[in-house]
Amino acid sequence: MSLNVSNLTVHHGAICAVNQVSLAVPTGKLAAIIGANGAGKTTLLRALSGLNKPTSGVVNWMGQTITGVKPEKLVRLGISHVSEGKSVIPELTVKENLELGAIWRKNSKEMKESLDQVVTIFPRLGERISQRSDTLSGGERQMLAIGRAIMSKPKLLLLDEPSLGLAPLVVEQIFQTIRDLTTEMRLTVLLVEQNAMGALKIADLGIVLNLGKVVAVNHAQALIEDPAVRAAYLGY
Amino acid sequence: MHKAKKESTHLPLFILGGVVLYFLSGMVDELRVYQGATIAVYVIAISSIILLTGYSGQVSLGHGALMAVGAYAAAVLRIEFNLPIILCFVAAVLAAAIGGALLGAAAARLSGPYLAGTTLALAIGLPSLANQFAILGGEQGLLFDVGFPPLALGEEFTQYKWFFWIAALAALISMWVIRNLLNSAYGRAWRAGRGNEVAAQLAGINTARSKVLAFTISAGIAGLAGALLAMTIGTVSPSAFPLALSFSLLTGAVLSGITTLGGVIIGAVVLVAIPEIADVVAHRLGSSESVTTNLPGLIVSGLLILTVLFVPNGPVEQHRARKAKHAAQHTSSKKKDKH
Amino acid sequence: MQLLNTLLIGITAGSIYALMAIAFVLVWRSTRVVNFAQAGMALLSTYFGYEAVSRIGSFWVALPVAMIGGALFAALVELILMRLLVKHASSGPIAGVAPIIATLGLLGVIRSVISMIWGGQDLRIVAPISNNGFTINGSTLVFSPLKLLVLVVVAVLLILLTILFQKTNLGLALRASAHAPEIARLSGVRVDSVRTLGWALAGAAGAVAGLFQTVNGNGNFSPDSIEFSLLLVSGFIAAVIGGLDSLLGAVLGGLFLGITISFVLMYVSSGLFFIAPFIILLIVLFIRPQGIIGVKAGRRA
């Protein structure tokens, strides 16, 4: 198990957003975290990437305890978080946004290689490489955000609602790309999504969160077939 | 239909305050009475900042200049036309208010540091204008004489006591007016605009007009304070309104609690007390002249930094927030027990 | 002839304002704060320079000493003051005004401490090269080798800083940290350290401004000298005119302000010296609220 979370609790002021959550994700697998709005999914990711400080609990990555470690340090341990919403810096160009992901590595040759790699995965970004990022469409921005995360050569990828606000066709593309990346780059991925069906379809593992607690953990396919899950999150 | 409870105007409270001050002034020595007058002036000036910055969210570093406008208006009218003193004060308010309206109109599109910087430029530039126009008396300034206390008050009634009464009365009236303004629809509009301007506009508030109004009223009040300050000093000159004055007002407002009108007295007292305390401290330490001259400034500035860092919303607000936090934690721990 | 002289005076004064404006823009671009204590720091750096000149006797040594001293002091301020500010005063009605108030307080503290240590009297730094005007065809221009030096230094600094910001990884980190600190963090940028660097650069730029302001005048300076109040205001106004986000804008804004004031003083009235910056600022903000190079968005901080 590369990612191990034990009894993690995170507060927003007086409100308990994540309540004694425990989960384990094996190396190289894609875990989908689904649940209603306000279930604590985003807060969970933010606690894992170091943006929010947990109240209690332990997070272990590759055998190392990383609870409460700052995001800048976690990136160097191979953890990349693509946060919800505008995860792209509009004032910078596409190239600059991508380079941002790799500057901590301080190796210009590696940066160039990673840049070529990302452009191969997302050719649209290559076409717009010198443009300011605020000229990109929603789907392109999401690709850019994921591309930037890839630039830091992560081993654990945390994705927060990448499908939000995107057209269905684009959503399909993004999900497929995420699946391909997980397999080809042997990433461990935590995918938080409101689009439960789309996420479960590409996932190996599914975790259902409700009001800050884990209410179900199973193989993704099993959850898709589970009547309770279907009724609550898959709409049929 | 349930009607919102009408907030009382607190008039009895202010009248009571006036009576208390009357008795106090009889009991202390001349120096304290004079300081009392200065404190009253600061109370008025600081409350103008609380209105503008605390409630309407606009930072002004130029209120010293607005005070100067009021002071000069009062002095000029007194000298040129020998108007009764109360009309001079009214003129001070109006003149400064007009200045405030112009400044506010120009500033309506600015916020944050842009506004601060613009008013800063005004604070440095405006007082120097006095040197340009002969009627304003140049560097030495103009005399401002409010006259002797009326004989009806008796032989014993000193000039300083008269200053104190005028200033204190003005302070009570201003505070009463401001308190009621802040509690009124205007005050609510200011707070709404400060928090989220777009949301306020969507709620139907004309935020630009509201902001200009805040500036105008705040300036008028500052003008009154300026005229009163001139009264206590006896003259009006550019050197009475340096940049440091604008900073002191901001300091006083932060010390009082930038949104707490009730805390004004804290800020005002601190501002008047600092030079004295600094003096005592410096003499105790037996320090050199350069230390003694600069210690008050150092303490005021240092206090400003410390306050904005550790008691940013003022002592009253801090206390309230702490109480609310305790209450929330108490309830949530009660909930935990239920599980 | 008078026209040329007025222009030259304006350009020189303007380039010093530009240096100050660069300092403001550097701090703004890296931490989104306007540092009202900037001129106070410049003043302090000038005193450092003075100490260096007194002991070593060379202005050319004093310049780097002042720059390093200014940079270190600025970094110290960021490490202590600004981080405390972010920690304690980020919410409530005070949040918008807290950095403004804190930096103003700092300005007062710096001035008081300087007065306490060095006293309030005028001190002197002598210019390293001649401030006597060039002569052309027998008449003397206001322009001198010293003034030329100022222009050259400003131009060099501008070029170096622009290269830093636009072409280097460090510059990218600085810009990212200013626009979107959270995203920068998630990308592995040590945002806190980067911000401190931004302040250090600003401190160095301010030091140069302070030194040149002193030697360009009569060489005298003191804690209360009006030149430094003007430097504060003019530097800020120049930065705002230029659009607060752009280094080139800062320089253009500084030159514009310097030249305009020079012409106003010469052809309208010299008494307007103190109020002119304010009026110019109002006019510019009225006509072009986003500044010369600024991008159109509301003038919200």
Side-chain angles (χ1 to χ4, degrees), chain A:
Chain A
M1 294 290 162
S2 53
L3 178 68
N4 252 298
V5 178
S6 309
N7 295 322
L8 194 67
T9 305
V10 188
H11 279 86
H12 266 316
I15 302 174
C16 185
V18 173
N19 198 341
Q20 303 275 319
V21 162
S22 294
L23 52 90
V25 184
T27 321
K29 297 292 180 194
L30 197 164
I33 304 182
I34 62 173
N37 247 332
K41 316 191 291 292
T42 299
T43 314
L44 176 61
L45 280 192
R46 289 177 66 95
L48 292 177
S49 70
L51 287 175
N52 284 14
K53 215 170 158 75
T55 319
S56 64
V58 181
V59 180
N60 256 303
W61 165 244
M62 298 293 213
Q64 250 187 313
T65 310
I66 59 162
T67 336
V69 173
K70 281 195 178 166
E72 309 91 282
K73 286 205 182 132
L74 290 182
V75 171
R76 289 158 168 80
L77 291 176
I79 301 180
S80 271
H81 177 181
V82 179
S83 59
E84 185 185 10
K86 31 187 170 41
S87 190
V88 154
I89 304 184
E91 294 89 348
L92 302 180
T93 63
V94 169
K95 184 155 180 260
E96 287 171 334
N97 261 295
L98 288 174
E99 285 175 337
L100 188 60
I103 48 178
W104 67 269
R105 276 163 37 203
K106 299 186 173 67
N107 185 326
S108 49
K109 195 168 97 143
E110 276 184 24
M111 163 127 37
K112 179 123 192 356
E113 284 169 8
S114 297
L115 207 57
D116 291 336
Q117 183 186 35
V118 170
V119 166
T120 316
I121 302 173
F122 298 114
R124 290 265 278 284
L125 293 181
E127 291 162 29
R128 301 197 191 284
I129 198 83
S130 308
Q131 289 179 11
R132 259 175 71 117
S133 308
D134 53 7
T135 62
L136 298 180
S137 71
E140 287 162 350
R141 282 194 217 195
Q142 198 53 56
M143 290 184 218
L144 180 56
I146 297 177
R148 191 188 60 238
I150 304 280
M151 291 285 291
S152 58
K153 287 215 172 98
K155 303 200 198 73
L156 173 65
L157 192 58
L158 307 171
L159 295 165
D160 199 340
E161 307 217 25
S163 74
L164 201 61
L166 299 182
L169 223 62
V170 180
V171 170
E172 252 193 69
Q173 277 181 311
I174 300 255
F175 277 150
Q176 191 54 50
T177 312
I178 295 173
R179 179 70 248 177
D180 294 335
L181 282 172
T182 316
T183 319
E184 284 160 19
M185 296 178 68
R186 269 172 290 198
L187 299 172
T188 310
V189 176
L190 241 61
L191 174 62
V192 159
E193 261 299 337
Q194 273 206 64
N195 183 340
M197 185 54 123
L200 287 174
K201 279 216 276 214
I202 57 166
D204 301 304
L205 187 62
I207 301 166
V208 183
L209 231 58
N210 193 23
L211 294 179
K213 288 179 169 250
V214 174
V215 294
V217 179
N218 213 330
H219 294 296
Q221 193 55 37
L223 285 179
I224 292 179
E225 290 160 9
D226 182 334
V229 172
R230 269 167 41 188
Y233 302 105
L234 304 179
Y236 69 104

Side-chain angles (χ1 to χ4, degrees), chain B residues 242-285:
Chain B
L243 186 58
L245 178 61
S246 296
F247 287 3
S248 297
L249 295 183
L250 197 55
T251 310
V254 173
L255 287 174
S256 314
I258 198 114
T259 51
T260 320
L261 191 61
V264 229
I265 192 76
I266 303 174
V269 168
V270 169
L271 284 180
V272 170
I274 294 252
E276 257 202 55
I277 298 177
D279 223 34
V280 168
V281 169
H283 278 120
R284 283 275 175 80
L285 295 176

